[in-house]
């Protein structure tokens, strides 16, 4: 079972690029972020014609996540538990039954968190964007615990807006005070990993210089000035099924690209 995550940065702007990549890569499941579309306006027919079942959790102009799957999507839920007042569309999950195993697949678009607003004691300003990011990660930690308790293969994948280590950035010094690389953000990410999750890409690829995002500004792509912020976290039962995990880097150099590229895992499921 090949499962991919891809922050497409707007379904309308990236419809051709996404369609071409789907035809080439042929993922069984694709988790999309930043569709920037309400559910009713999502061009589902294009993907249904390619054999995908489509489930979305969208909102107008911002955020939005979706799952495309060649297999039926069962028990679909939308929204990260823990805050009924949160109206941002950043979480969707479903069960996909493979030839060998059923996998609980969670697609996420974690808050960016910038600008970082801090109080005199160094803590985030309540209600600010960085505070929202860290509180969202607390909810993610709780959901991760619940997934583990279910003891079935499960994964959480998407745009985490987290640079886990210095080797995951071409110029780590440029990100020191950024919400993606601040110690609190990285600690929250490690806290989830330490529950027993496997970060799939680093389980397969160790060398530095592996990125999934290049900003549109300042010639970042041409200089390979990237960061790795799109991740797969696998439960122990899912990690046992891991065959491979790769980044489709070359997609970034195509016409009208997203600033992210697809990352995918292959599971023996």
């Amino acid at each position: 079972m090949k499962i991919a995550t891809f922050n497409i940065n707007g379904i309308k702007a990236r419809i051709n690029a996404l369609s071409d990549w789907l035809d080439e890569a042929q993922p069984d499941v694709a988790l999309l972020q930043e569709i920037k579309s309400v559910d009713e306006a999502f061009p589902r027919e294009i993907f249904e014609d390619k054999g995908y079942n489509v489930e979305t959790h969208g909102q107008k102009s911002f955020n939005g996540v979706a799952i495309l799957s060649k297999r039926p999507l069962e028990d679909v839920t939308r929204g990260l538990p823990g805050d009924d007042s949160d109206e941002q569309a950043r979480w969707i999950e479903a069960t996909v039954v493979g030839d060998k195993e059923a996998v609980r697949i969670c697609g996420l678009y974690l808050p960016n968190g910038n600008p970082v607003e801090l109080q005199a004691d160094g803590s985030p300003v309540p209600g600010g964007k960085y505070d929202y990011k860290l509180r969202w990660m607390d909810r993610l930690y709780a959901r991760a615990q619940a997934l583990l308790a279910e003891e079935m293969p499960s994964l959480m994948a998407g745009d985490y807006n987290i640079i886990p280590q210095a080797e995951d950035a071409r110029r780590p010094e440029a990100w020191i005070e950024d919400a993606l690389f601040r110690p609190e953000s990285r600690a929250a990410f490690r806290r989830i990993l330490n529950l027993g999750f496997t970060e799939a890409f680093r389980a397969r690829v160790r060398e530095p210089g592996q990125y999934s995002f290049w900003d549109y500004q300042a010639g970042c792509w041409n200089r390979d000035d990237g960061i790795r912020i799109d991740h797969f976290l696998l439960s122990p039962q899912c990690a046992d099924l891991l065959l491979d995990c790769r980044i489709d880097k070359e997609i970034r150099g195509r016409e009208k690209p997203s600033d992210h590229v697809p990352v995918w895992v292959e599971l023996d499921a």
Side-chain angles (χ1 to χ4, degrees):
M1 185 188 296
K2 184 177 183 180
I3 305 168
T5 177
F6 192 1
N7 180 323
I8 58 170
N9 192 16
I11 187 64
K12 293 179 181 177
R14 235 61 65 186
I15 188 68
N16 292 332
L18 176 59
S19 294
D20 290 346
W21 172 76
L22 287 171
D23 291 343
E24 295 170 20
Q26 290 292 317
D28 297 294
V29 182
L31 303 170
L32 307 179
Q33 300 91 47
E34 279 201 274
I35 61 174
K36 298 181 181 178
S37 168
V38 294
D39 295 335
E40 308 82 69
F42 189 85
R44 57 187 307 121
E45 295 82 5
I46 293 174
F47 306 108
E48 290 171 343
D49 288 346
K50 296 179 184 294
Y52 286 98
N53 298 287
V54 178
E55 294 288 349
T56 61
H57 179 37
Q59 68 182 90
K60 187 176 181 180
S61 302
F62 297 99
N63 305 326
V65 288
I67 305 179
L68 314 179
S69 176
K70 291 183 177 179
R71 295 176 180 268
L73 291 165
E74 303 177 5
D75 301 323
V76 179
T77 60
R78 296 167 174 81
L80 183 63
D83 183 359
D84 293 339
S85 68
D86 186 0
E87 297 180 351
Q88 296 193 29
R90 296 181 174 274
W91 180 271
I92 189 169
E93 60 180 270
T95 298
V96 177
V97 180
D99 293 332
K100 299 179 180 179
E101 298 277 357
V103 182
R104 189 66 178 170
I105 296 175
C106 307
L108 64 91
Y109 176 43
L110 203 147
N112 178 287
N114 285 306
V116 176
E117 303 168 272
L118 302 178
Q119 302 182 93
D121 63 359
S123 63
V125 171
K129 290 187 176 181
Y130 193 50
D131 180 52
Y132 174 64
K133 179 183 187 126
L134 297 179
R135 287 187 291 107
W136 204 94
M137 295 188 77
D138 286 341
R139 291 159 56 199
L140 181 62
Y141 179 88
R143 183 65 191 126
Q145 286 181 307
L147 288 168
L148 291 178
E150 294 170 8
E151 296 187 346
M152 73 175 290
S154 60
L155 60 84
M156 303 184 297
D159 177 1
Y160 275 77
N161 273 313
I162 296 287
I163 305 169
Q165 303 289 344
E167 59 264 30
D168 296 312
R170 177 66 179 269
R171 294 182 302 118
E173 68 278 3
W175 297 90
I176 289 174
E177 294 302 325
D178 193 280
L180 279 63
F181 196 52
R182 280 190 62 87
E184 303 93 337
S185 304
R186 295 161 64 198
F189 184 75
R190 287 194 303 271
R191 184 171 171 241
I192 295 168
L193 281 175
N194 290 342
L195 288 171
F197 284 84
T198 295
E199 206 257 269
F201 186 77
R202 283 305 182 205
R204 284 293 176 265
V205 181
R206 291 296 184 182
E207 63 262 25
Q210 308 293 316
Y211 311 128
S212 63
F213 171 92
W214 297 259
D215 197 285
Y216 291 126
Q217 308 298 319
C220 287
W221 167 245
N222 293 330
R223 295 185 290 110
D224 197 25
D225 186 4
I227 53 178
R228 192 175 69 89
I229 57 175
D230 301 86
H231 310 301
F232 276 87
L233 270 55
L234 313 183
S235 73
Q237 296 84 355
C238 193
D240 287 344
L241 307 175
L242 179 63
L243 299 173
D244 204 0
C245 181
R246 300 291 164 178
I247 298 172
D248 284 349
K249 178 178 179 178
E250 72 280 359
I251 301 299
R252 183 63 175 80
R254 296 187 179 180
E255 185 178 357
K256 291 186 178 180
S258 171
D259 41 10
H260 295 252
V261 296
V263 183
W264 53 266
V265 296
E266 190 172 358
L267 303 179
D268 185 21

